[in-house]
Amino acid sequence: MLNHPCMDKDQLISMKSVVSGCLGKHIITPSRLPSLSRPVILLAWGCYLELEFNDLERVRSFISAHGLVAPEGNYTKDGLYTHLQVAKARVPPEKIICAQRARAYI
């Protein structure tokens, strides 16, 4: 997930909570790629979704539809990267555990 550095902190916290609750392995980082009008970009293998507001159901749907489809999607071994790492994954990385399987996003 890429987020604009000026994104509202409360919205960022709720978005981070959904992403980290759905996927074991993920990257959340500020970036200048998202615009202020669309401050969040979700990225997955071969696709992306720009969001103009915190539509948490759409986030869950995107993750359910596109999470873990990359060639290494179910690769369970933890990587060696630790520079600037805030937290290690807390859930089994091979599982999407969104509370509700969302319908396909539009």
Side-chain angles (χ1 to χ4, degrees):
M1 180 184 106
L2 303 177
N3 64 277
H4 192 279
C6 296
M7 184 178 176
D8 178 75
K9 298 303 176 206
D10 291 334
Q11 290 182 350
L12 181 59
I13 290 169
S14 66
M15 190 70 72
K16 283 181 176 183
S17 176
V18 169
V19 171
S20 63
C22 284
L23 287 172
K25 288 185 180 181
H26 56 275
I27 296 172
I28 301 173
T29 188
S31 172
R32 294 200 183 267
L33 289 175
S35 65
L36 279 173
S37 62
R38 293 177 182 233
V40 174
I41 301 175
L42 299 175
L43 303 163
W45 184 258
C47 56
Y48 68 95
L49 174 66
E50 294 181 80
L51 297 169
E52 48 190 295
F53 57 91
N54 269 21
D55 185 345
L56 302 181
E57 188 58 33
R58 200 163 177 208
V59 171
R60 287 184 194 96
S61 179
F62 181 85
I63 292 171
S64 293
H66 301 288
L68 305 179
V69 297
E72 70 281 357
N74 288 316
Y75 187 66
T76 58
K77 186 176 178 184
D78 199 6
L80 300 175
Y81 181 86
T82 57
H83 179 68
L84 299 178
Q85 184 177 32
V86 175
K88 288 278 191 189
R90 292 174 282 142
V91 296
E94 69 276 11
K95 294 186 179 183
I96 295 178
I97 60 165
C98 289
Q100 308 167 7
R101 281 289 185 168
R103 294 176 300 281
Y105 73 96
I106 296 175

